[in-house]
Amino acid sequence: MKELGQKVLAGDVRSASRLIRNLEDQIPGTHVAMQQIFTKTGNAHVIGITGAPGAGKSTLTDELVFSWRQRNKTVGVLAVDPTSPFTGGALLGDRIRMLRHAEDKGVFLRSLATRGSMGGISKAVGEAIHVMDAMGKDSIIIETVGVGQQEVEIINHAHTVIVVLVPGMGDEIQALKAGLMEIADIFIINKADRDGAANLYKEVSNMIHMSVAKGGWEIPVLLVESVQEPKKFAESVSVVCDKIEDHYRFLVDNNLLSERLRRKTAAEFNEALWGAILQPVLDDLDEGGEMEKMIDTLLKKETDPYTLAEEVAVRYKNRV
């Protein structure tokens, strides 16, 4: 595992893919490779792209990658896809939309499966960000799976959060009220040639004006043209790139980046504690067959989950 970590630091794509796969599969000993790379991370700008299904996040991400490559920046993309019910892996829908970058050595694209994780992202996403960061990527994009109103977890991992809306979908403002307003640094109205784009722009702008300012940052609402008009689409996405970079400079210049990094680090530490403390207990209960016995007693209503959990906690505390 130490050798795997060293290869990732050298930028080896195969090793990075293997390490991310090991993280997803929770292969024992993977933390050794993460220990190798962790101190070399913290240099990339992490961008989260979220929004309802069908909002065009993958097409937008694809063009953002192209625009950054035109500016000679290296890019990593973590596309979170729905989980296959048969293999537990990602269904790879997002990667199919970004095939034009497959041969570009300056782009590393990886799909992650949600595997039941709520919030629109995979449990492995925080560690996968570190892997891409250690490879030396300038920008890392996390594209969430598209579950709408639950996608607020992205704020724990991204420096800049983009919320993508589309006119006429019917749930735009409901999604905003459900928490996306609080996490958005940039709003994008995609497919802005559709009817209702002007009304959506007005509604979102009004909600921004009524909300509390985010440390002095004025949240922009950007219109992105239809992909069916390639030139206009590319130009509008280039403007999005400019705004993303403006936001990162704003965070740095106003000493706000450290606040986001602290939140991100706290979330990652919680995940690490879960893996180091809770997961071994669950594995132990499974291997000994005790988990099934406990579930049986719960189904028979002979006890309750809270009492059982307390008993397990006391038992393992006494082992320490």
Side-chain angles (χ1 to χ4, degrees), residues 57-70 97-98 100-101 141 227 230-231 233-238 241:
K57 298 187 295 294
S58 295
T59 305
L60 182 66
T61 298
D62 177 71
E63 190 63 32
L64 280 170
V65 172
F66 178 78
S67 187
W68 268 315
R69 292 299 292 138
Q70 294 293 102
R97 299 184 185 95
M98 303 181 206
R100 65 168 164 165
H101 305 296
I141 301 173
V227 71
K231 186 176 180 180
F233 179 68
E235 289 173 352
S236 54
V237 173
S238 182
C241 273

Side-chain angles (χ1 to χ4, degrees), residues 74-302:
T74 56
V75 186
V77 179
L78 291 168
V80 184
D81 286 313
T83 303
S84 166
F86 303 105
T87 66
L91 291 176
L92 306 183
D94 290 333
R95 287 182 69 178
I96 291 171
R97 299 184 185 95
M98 303 181 206
L99 287 177
R100 65 168 164 165
H101 305 296
E103 301 299 322
D104 187 346
K105 293 182 179 180
V107 179
F108 180 36
L109 174 62
R110 176 77 190 190
S111 288
L112 295 175
T114 55
R115 300 194 179 187
S117 178
M118 301 299 286
I121 60 175
S122 164
K123 287 183 178 178
V125 73
E127 292 167 315
I129 290 169
H130 287 313
V131 174
M132 290 191 170
D133 195 352
M135 293 175 72
K137 300 305 177 190
D138 298 312
S139 300
I140 299 170
I141 301 173
I142 313 163
E143 183 195 331
T144 69
V145 71
V147 294
Q149 298 179 0
Q150 296 171 331
E151 296 197 7
V152 295
E153 193 179 322
I154 188 67
I155 196 172
N156 291 329
H157 299 283
H159 305 133
T160 301
V161 177
I162 299 171
V163 173
V164 183
L165 303 171
V166 178
M169 291 190 70
D171 61 349
E172 302 93 348
I173 301 304
Q174 285 81 357
L176 296 180
K177 291 177 181 176
L180 290 184
M181 172 62 75
E182 285 76 12
I183 69 169
D185 298 303
I186 298 170
F187 278 105
I188 291 177
I189 298 177
N190 204 14
K191 307 174 187 179
D193 58 318
R194 287 187 179 183
D195 293 339
N199 286 336
L200 180 57
Y201 179 89
K202 183 178 179 181
E203 289 180 19
V204 175
S205 298
N206 287 339
M207 290 190 74
I208 290 172
H209 290 313
M210 289 187 293
S211 65
V212 179
K214 300 185 72 171
W217 170 253
E218 294 184 10
I219 302 173
V221 184
L222 307 177
L223 298 172
V224 172
E225 299 295 330
S226 170
V227 71
Q228 303 301 326
E229 298 188 43
K231 186 176 180 180
K232 288 184 178 180
F233 179 68
E235 289 173 352
S236 54
V237 173
S238 182
V239 172
V240 173
C241 273
D242 292 337
K243 280 296 180 183
I244 291 171
E245 292 174 3
D246 287 346
H247 180 253
Y248 188 72
R249 282 193 294 270
F250 174 83
L251 293 176
V252 173
D253 293 345
N254 291 276
N255 297 317
L256 296 173
L257 188 61
S258 59
E259 178 185 331
R260 300 209 172 195
L261 290 174
R262 188 174 188 84
R263 182 171 55 208
K264 181 175 181 293
T265 302
E268 290 167 357
F269 184 46
N270 286 339
E271 286 289 337
L273 285 174
W274 184 91
I277 298 174
L278 180 59
Q279 192 61 49
V281 174
L282 294 174
D283 292 342
D284 192 26
L285 293 175
D286 275 332
E287 290 170 7
E290 193 173 357
M291 179 68 80
E292 289 300 318
K293 293 177 182 177
M294 288 180 172
I295 292 172
D296 287 339
T297 60
L298 290 172
L299 288 171
K300 294 174 184 176
K301 304 299 181 182
E302 294 175 357

Side-chain angles (χ1 to χ4, degrees), residues 30-50:
T30 305
H31 70 281
V32 175
M34 295 304 295
Q35 289 170 339
Q36 290 284 307
I37 71 173
F38 184 81
T39 57
K40 309 296 182 183
T41 62
N43 301 307
H45 179 194
V46 183
I47 302 102
I49 299 181
T50 189

